[in-house]
Structures are given as structure tokens and as C-alpha cells.
Amino acid sequence: MVVKDRIAIVTGAGSGIGAATARALHTHGAYVVATDVSGKEADTAQSLGDRAVAFRADLSNPDEIAALIEFAVSEYDDIDILCNVGALGTTREFLADARLGDFERIINVDLVSVFLTMKHAIPHMVRRGGGSIVNVSSMAALKTFPNMAAYASAKAGVVALTKVAAMEYGEHGIRVNVICPGATETPLLLDAHAANPARLDYLRGLAPLRRMGLPEEMASVILFLASEASSYITGAVVPVDGGQSM
């Protein structure tokens, strides 16, 4: 897992998969820019110590995304790895009952922000001679359920966007891959269903492995795709869902 001395940006690094990804990259020697909107990105960076800094950014704000990339370059001179983890969860309405504002908000955070981070980071990677981008989509991009119109649309868009970027920038040594997690025991998910243990049991039963994934299990796959261990992999869509999407 060669990421030593690589410069990595991780969105959604305040908790869950993002925080686990920041830890995994840092443990293997990367410099990490941890970003989130919650303020917890500072806790993540502080827990990592040297070679980690925090930057607060709202992924629904294009100016703050541009500022994030500028900050990373000013702090560490360049960008080698971009991990787009930050996202909003799904709403619970059927399509015809969904509000346009809610739909647009999820599309903006879960899809448009991935476009914008790549748009601003890729020129630096081209100048540097290569890089690795790992986007986080969802099992919902491969196998959807009711109440997921905006979320599934955004996450399917992330898969398509990943493939386009991989095709366009492969000749510059930039690899772009995407993972599709299944239900994962993040604080956000567990808190959302804390009052409904039956819902958690249902989610655990969806996968053949009969459990939810752990943030660290998602982070280990992200680390692999970010590292030189996956040097001949690009445009890949990797389900990390315990078999749920079969």
C-alpha cells in the first residue's frame, strides 16, 4: 500500500468512512487534508498529529470546494490523492412526494461536489504527472430501493462521472475508481436508526454476510485503490457491500 509522502484530500473526514480513510492513508505515510462541514474534521486531523491538517468546507458551496483545493496546494504544494467520501443520505419520500429543493440539495452534495473537486484537483495532478482519485458511490447505484430517487440518481451519476474521468485522464497517469459501499455502521446511520432496532436488523440481513460493513473495511479498499498496489486499475466500480448487489 504505497502512499508514503503522497498528499491526500479526504472529504467527509469528520466521521465514518471519511475519518477511517484519513486514518488509513495517514497510517501508511500520506499527508492528509481532512475536510468536513461538521467541524469534526479538526478532531480527525488532531488525532492523526503530524502530516495532517483540517479544512472546513461545505460541499454544497462551489466556492468552498475551490478554496479546499487551493488550501491543499498552498499547504503541501501538490495533490496526489483525492478521496471523495462526503455525502448526504437519502430522504424517505416516494418520488412524486419529494420536494425539488431536497432533490437538488442531495444532487449538489453527492454528485456536483464530486465533479467540482475533480475539476479543481485534476489540473494539479496533470502537472504533477499523475494521481489517484477514489470516489465513494453506493450500492444504491447498482441496486436501488424505494425512497431513494435523489440519492440513487446522484450515486449512479458518481459511477458514470468516474468512468468519464478515468477515460479522459488516463494518458496523464491519473487513475479514477469508485467504490459502492453497502449499509455501513457509521455514526450517522446508527444514530438515524437508534430508535428503531428492527430497521438495523433489516439492514444487517440484506447482505449474504448477514451484517453491515465497518468504516474501516471501506477505508481499506479506498486505500488499495489510492495506492500503487492498484497501479493498473482505473475506471473500476468496486462493490463493498457484503454481496448485497449480487
Side-chain angles (χ1 to χ4, degrees):
M1 298 296 188
V2 182
V3 294
K4 183 174 174 55
D5 295 330
R6 301 293 198 271
I7 298 147
I9 298 173
V10 182
T11 71
S15 64
I17 297 172
T21 298
R23 286 194 297 271
L25 288 165
H26 188 269
T27 297
H28 285 78
Y31 292 82
V32 175
V33 178
T35 184
D36 204 285
V37 72
S38 66
K40 293 181 179 179
E41 69 282 354
D43 297 333
T44 297
Q46 184 176 17
S47 71
L48 298 178
D50 293 342
R51 294 182 289 104
V53 293
F55 187 86
R56 185 188 182 281
D58 181 350
L59 294 180
S60 69
N61 187 321
D63 292 336
E64 294 190 18
I65 292 173
L68 163 65
I69 304 303
E70 290 176 7
F71 171 80
V73 173
S74 67
E75 190 75 19
Y76 290 130
D77 295 329
D78 257 310
I79 302 167
D80 298 299
I81 296 167
L82 171 63
C83 299
N84 281 307
V85 184
L88 293 175
T90 185
T91 57
R92 289 294 168 193
E93 301 90 4
F94 272 31
L95 188 151
D97 299 320
R99 293 180 291 273
L100 177 60
D102 292 339
F103 188 93
E104 290 176 331
R105 183 169 59 93
I106 291 173
I107 294 293
N108 283 336
V109 173
D110 292 9
L111 176 58
V112 177
S113 74
V114 176
F115 160 74
L116 288 172
T117 55
M118 291 200 295
K119 172 182 173 61
H120 292 297
I122 283 173
H124 297 285
M125 292 181 174
V126 169
R127 189 185 71 248
R128 193 162 173 79
S132 178
I133 299 172
V134 186
N135 297 322
V136 176
S137 177
S138 169
M139 179 275 304
L142 309 176
K143 179 180 180 180
T144 61
F145 295 91
N147 307 311
M148 287 190 173
Y151 184 76
S153 298
K155 291 302 188 178
V158 170
V159 170
L161 191 61
T162 296
K163 292 181 178 181
V164 170
M167 184 69 72
E168 291 180 345
Y169 292 99
E171 65 181 293
H172 296 283
I174 299 171
R175 299 183 300 104
V176 192
N177 295 290
V178 60
I179 74 164
C180 294
T184 305
E185 290 193 5
T186 63
L188 185 65
L189 184 146
L190 294 175
D191 289 347
H193 300 295
N196 187 3
R199 176 67 181 174
L200 292 174
D201 289 340
Y202 167 76
L203 292 172
R204 294 183 180 105
L206 288 174
L209 292 182
R210 293 296 184 265
R211 65 177 180 86
M212 287 192 280
L214 300 175
E216 292 76 14
E217 290 174 309
M218 308 303 144
S220 67
V221 181
I222 295 171
L223 172 65
F224 167 70
L225 292 172
S227 76
E228 291 303 308
S230 61
S231 58
Y232 201 58
I233 299 176
T234 194
V237 182
V238 184
V240 192
D241 61 3
Q244 185 177 347
S245 58
M246 286 193 293

mmCIF file with all atom_site columns, all heavy atoms in Angstrom, residues 48-59:
data_model
loop_
_atom_site.group_PDB
_atom_site.id
_atom_site.type_symbol
_atom_site.label_atom_id
_atom_site.label_alt_id
_atom_site.label_comp_id
_atom_site.label_asym_id
_atom_site.label_entity_id
_atom_site.label_seq_id
_atom_site.pdbx_PDB_ins_code
_atom_site.Cartn_x
_atom_site.Cartn_y
_atom_site.Cartn_z
_atom_site.occupancy
_atom_site.B_iso_or_equiv
_atom_site.pdbx_formal_charge
_atom_site.auth_seq_id
_atom_site.auth_comp_id
_atom_site.auth_asym_id
_atom_site.auth_atom_id
_atom_site.pdbx_PDB_model_num
ATOM 1  N N   . LEU A 1 48 ? -4.665  12.547 14.272 1.00 0.00 ? 48 LEU A N   1
ATOM 2  C CA  . LEU A 1 48 ? -3.607  11.994 13.422 1.00 0.00 ? 48 LEU A CA  1
ATOM 3  C C   . LEU A 1 48 ? -2.253  12.602 13.741 1.00 0.00 ? 48 LEU A C   1
ATOM 4  O O   . LEU A 1 48 ? -1.225  11.941 13.621 1.00 0.00 ? 48 LEU A O   1
ATOM 5  C CB  . LEU A 1 48 ? -3.947  12.217 11.946 1.00 0.00 ? 48 LEU A CB  1
ATOM 6  C CG  . LEU A 1 48 ? -5.221  11.543 11.429 1.00 0.00 ? 48 LEU A CG  1
ATOM 7  C CD1 . LEU A 1 48 ? -5.453  11.885 9.969  1.00 0.00 ? 48 LEU A CD1 1
ATOM 8  C CD2 . LEU A 1 48 ? -5.171  10.039 11.628 1.00 0.00 ? 48 LEU A CD2 1
ATOM 9  N N   . GLY A 1 49 ? -2.253  13.871 14.130 1.00 0.00 ? 49 GLY A N   1
ATOM 10 C CA  . GLY A 1 49 ? -0.996  14.518 14.512 1.00 0.00 ? 49 GLY A CA  1
ATOM 11 C C   . GLY A 1 49 ? -0.243  15.069 13.316 1.00 0.00 ? 49 GLY A C   1
ATOM 12 O O   . GLY A 1 49 ? -0.837  15.660 12.415 1.00 0.00 ? 49 GLY A O   1
ATOM 13 N N   . ASP A 1 50 ? 1.069   14.880 13.308 1.00 0.00 ? 50 ASP A N   1
ATOM 14 C CA  . ASP A 1 50 ? 1.896   15.384 12.211 1.00 0.00 ? 50 ASP A CA  1
ATOM 15 C C   . ASP A 1 50 ? 1.403   14.835 10.876 1.00 0.00 ? 50 ASP A C   1
ATOM 16 O O   . ASP A 1 50 ? 0.853   13.734 10.796 1.00 0.00 ? 50 ASP A O   1
ATOM 17 C CB  . ASP A 1 50 ? 3.357   14.976 12.421 1.00 0.00 ? 50 ASP A CB  1
ATOM 18 C CG  . ASP A 1 50 ? 3.986   15.671 13.623 1.00 0.00 ? 50 ASP A CG  1
ATOM 19 O OD1 . ASP A 1 50 ? 3.424   16.696 14.060 1.00 0.00 ? 50 ASP A OD1 1
ATOM 20 O OD2 . ASP A 1 50 ? 5.010   15.178 14.113 1.00 0.00 ? 50 ASP A OD2 1
ATOM 21 N N   . ARG A 1 51 ? 1.624   15.580 9.834  1.00 0.00 ? 51 ARG A N   1
ATOM 22 C CA  . ARG A 1 51 ? 1.247   15.231 8.462  1.00 0.00 ? 51 ARG A CA  1
ATOM 23 C C   . ARG A 1 51 ? -0.255  15.263 8.230  1.00 0.00 ? 51 ARG A C   1
ATOM 24 O O   . ARG A 1 51 ? -0.761  14.648 7.289  1.00 0.00 ? 51 ARG A O   1
ATOM 25 C CB  . ARG A 1 51 ? 1.798   13.857 8.041  1.00 0.00 ? 51 ARG A CB  1
ATOM 26 C CG  . ARG A 1 51 ? 3.315   13.797 7.957  1.00 0.00 ? 51 ARG A CG  1
ATOM 27 C CD  . ARG A 1 51 ? 3.823   12.446 7.497  1.00 0.00 ? 51 ARG A CD  1
ATOM 28 N NE  . ARG A 1 51 ? 3.652   11.412 8.504  1.00 0.00 ? 51 ARG A NE  1
ATOM 29 C CZ  . ARG A 1 51 ? 2.720   10.480 8.454  1.00 0.00 ? 51 ARG A CZ  1
ATOM 30 N NH1 . ARG A 1 51 ? 1.873   10.427 7.449  1.00 0.00 ? 51 ARG A NH1 1
ATOM 31 N NH2 . ARG A 1 51 ? 2.641   9.582  9.419  1.00 0.00 ? 51 ARG A NH2 1
ATOM 32 N N   . ALA A 1 52 ? -1.003  15.970 9.068  1.00 0.00 ? 52 ALA A N   1
ATOM 33 C CA  . ALA A 1 52 ? -2.449  16.093 8.863  1.00 0.00 ? 52 ALA A CA  1
ATOM 34 C C   . ALA A 1 52 ? -2.899  17.501 9.220  1.00 0.00 ? 52 ALA A C   1
ATOM 35 O O   . ALA A 1 52 ? -2.455  18.069 10.217 1.00 0.00 ? 52 ALA A O   1
ATOM 36 C CB  . ALA A 1 52 ? -3.198  15.074 9.707  1.00 0.00 ? 52 ALA A CB  1
ATOM 37 N N   . VAL A 1 53 ? -3.769  18.055 8.390  1.00 0.00 ? 53 VAL A N   1
ATOM 38 C CA  . VAL A 1 53 ? -4.360  19.363 8.644  1.00 0.00 ? 53 VAL A CA  1
ATOM 39 C C   . VAL A 1 53 ? -5.849  19.275 8.347  1.00 0.00 ? 53 VAL A C   1
ATOM 40 O O   . VAL A 1 53 ? -6.306  18.399 7.607  1.00 0.00 ? 53 VAL A O   1
ATOM 41 C CB  . VAL A 1 53 ? -3.724  20.479 7.791  1.00 0.00 ? 53 VAL A CB  1
ATOM 42 C CG1 . VAL A 1 53 ? -2.276  20.715 8.194  1.00 0.00 ? 53 VAL A CG1 1
ATOM 43 C CG2 . VAL A 1 53 ? -3.825  20.152 6.305  1.00 0.00 ? 53 VAL A CG2 1
ATOM 44 N N   . ALA A 1 54 ? -6.604  20.200 8.930  1.00 0.00 ? 54 ALA A N   1
ATOM 45 C CA  . ALA A 1 54 ? -8.050  20.229 8.736  1.00 0.00 ? 54 ALA A CA  1
ATOM 46 C C   . ALA A 1 54 ? -8.446  21.448 7.925  1.00 0.00 ? 54 ALA A C   1
ATOM 47 O O   . ALA A 1 54 ? -7.800  22.499 7.985  1.00 0.00 ? 54 ALA A O   1
ATOM 48 C CB  . ALA A 1 54 ? -8.761  20.251 10.090 1.00 0.00 ? 54 ALA A CB  1
ATOM 49 N N   . PHE A 1 55 ? -9.521  21.295 7.169  1.00 0.00 ? 55 PHE A N   1
ATOM 50 C CA  . PHE A 1 55 ? -10.097 22.419 6.433  1.00 0.00 ? 55 PHE A CA  1
ATOM 51 C C   . PHE A 1 55 ? -11.601 22.234 6.389  1.00 0.00 ? 55 PHE A C   1
ATOM 52 O O   . PHE A 1 55 ? -12.092 21.207 5.897  1.00 0.00 ? 55 PHE A O   1
ATOM 53 C CB  . PHE A 1 55 ? -9.539  22.496 5.011  1.00 0.00 ? 55 PHE A CB  1
ATOM 54 C CG  . PHE A 1 55 ? -9.971  23.723 4.259  1.00 0.00 ? 55 PHE A CG  1
ATOM 55 C CD1 . PHE A 1 55 ? -9.264  24.906 4.379  1.00 0.00 ? 55 PHE A CD1 1
ATOM 56 C CD2 . PHE A 1 55 ? -11.104 23.692 3.451  1.00 0.00 ? 55 PHE A CD2 1
ATOM 57 C CE1 . PHE A 1 55 ? -9.672  26.046 3.694  1.00 0.00 ? 55 PHE A CE1 1
ATOM 58 C CE2 . PHE A 1 55 ? -11.509 24.819 2.753  1.00 0.00 ? 55 PHE A CE2 1
ATOM 59 C CZ  . PHE A 1 55 ? -10.794 26.004 2.883  1.00 0.00 ? 55 PHE A CZ  1
ATOM 60 N N   . ARG A 1 56 ? -12.317 23.213 6.897  1.00 0.00 ? 56 ARG A N   1
ATOM 61 C CA  . ARG A 1 56 ? -13.774 23.130 6.885  1.00 0.00 ? 56 ARG A CA  1
ATOM 62 C C   . ARG A 1 56 ? -14.300 23.570 5.523  1.00 0.00 ? 56 ARG A C   1
ATOM 63 O O   . ARG A 1 56 ? -13.957 24.650 5.033  1.00 0.00 ? 56 ARG A O   1
ATOM 64 C CB  . ARG A 1 56 ? -14.390 24.010 7.975  1.00 0.00 ? 56 ARG A CB  1
ATOM 65 C CG  . ARG A 1 56 ? -15.906 23.866 8.083  1.00 0.00 ? 56 ARG A CG  1
ATOM 66 C CD  . ARG A 1 56 ? -16.500 24.896 9.043  1.00 0.00 ? 56 ARG A CD  1
ATOM 67 N NE  . ARG A 1 56 ? -17.926 24.722 9.174  1.00 0.00 ? 56 ARG A NE  1
ATOM 68 C CZ  . ARG A 1 56 ? -18.828 25.151 8.269  1.00 0.00 ? 56 ARG A CZ  1
ATOM 69 N NH1 . ARG A 1 56 ? -18.411 25.793 7.183  1.00 0.00 ? 56 ARG A NH1 1
ATOM 70 N NH2 . ARG A 1 56 ? -20.121 24.945 8.466  1.00 0.00 ? 56 ARG A NH2 1
ATOM 71 N N   . ALA A 1 57 ? -15.124 22.734 4.904  1.00 0.00 ? 57 ALA A N   1
ATOM 72 C CA  . ALA A 1 57 ? -15.704 23.079 3.611  1.00 0.00 ? 57 ALA A CA  1
ATOM 73 C C   . ALA A 1 57 ? -17.102 22.483 3.503  1.00 0.00 ? 57 ALA A C   1
ATOM 74 O O   . ALA A 1 57 ? -17.341 21.325 3.863  1.00 0.00 ? 57 ALA A O   1
ATOM 75 C CB  . ALA A 1 57 ? -14.835 22.568 2.468  1.00 0.00 ? 57 ALA A CB  1
ATOM 76 N N   . ASP A 1 58 ? -18.012 23.293 3.001  1.00 0.00 ? 58 ASP A N   1
ATOM 77 C CA  . ASP A 1 58 ? -19.385 22.870 2.726  1.00 0.00 ? 58 ASP A CA  1
ATOM 78 C C   . ASP A 1 58 ? -19.433 22.390 1.279  1.00 0.00 ? 58 ASP A C   1
ATOM 79 O O   . ASP A 1 58 ? -19.229 23.173 0.350  1.00 0.00 ? 58 ASP A O   1
ATOM 80 C CB  . ASP A 1 58 ? -20.325 24.060 2.942  1.00 0.00 ? 58 ASP A CB  1
ATOM 81 C CG  . ASP A 1 58 ? -21.784 23.713 2.695  1.00 0.00 ? 58 ASP A CG  1
ATOM 82 O OD1 . ASP A 1 58 ? -22.060 22.609 2.181  1.00 0.00 ? 58 ASP A OD1 1
ATOM 83 O OD2 . ASP A 1 58 ? -22.645 24.555 3.008  1.00 0.00 ? 58 ASP A OD2 1
ATOM 84 N N   . LEU A 1 59 ? -19.702 21.119 1.062  1.00 0.00 ? 59 LEU A N   1
ATOM 85 C CA  . LEU A 1 59 ? -19.666 20.547 -0.277 1.00 0.00 ? 59 LEU A CA  1
ATOM 86 C C   . LEU A 1 59 ? -20.813 21.027 -1.161 1.00 0.00 ? 59 LEU A C   1
ATOM 87 O O   . LEU A 1 59 ? -20.820 20.745 -2.361 1.00 0.00 ? 59 LEU A O   1
ATOM 88 C CB  . LEU A 1 59 ? -19.663 19.022 -0.205 1.00 0.00 ? 59 LEU A CB  1
ATOM 89 C CG  . LEU A 1 59 ? -18.427 18.382 0.425  1.00 0.00 ? 59 LEU A CG  1
ATOM 90 C CD1 . LEU A 1 59 ? -18.563 16.869 0.437  1.00 0.00 ? 59 LEU A CD1 1
ATOM 91 C CD2 . LEU A 1 59 ? -17.156 18.803 -0.312 1.00 0.00 ? 59 LEU A CD2 1
#
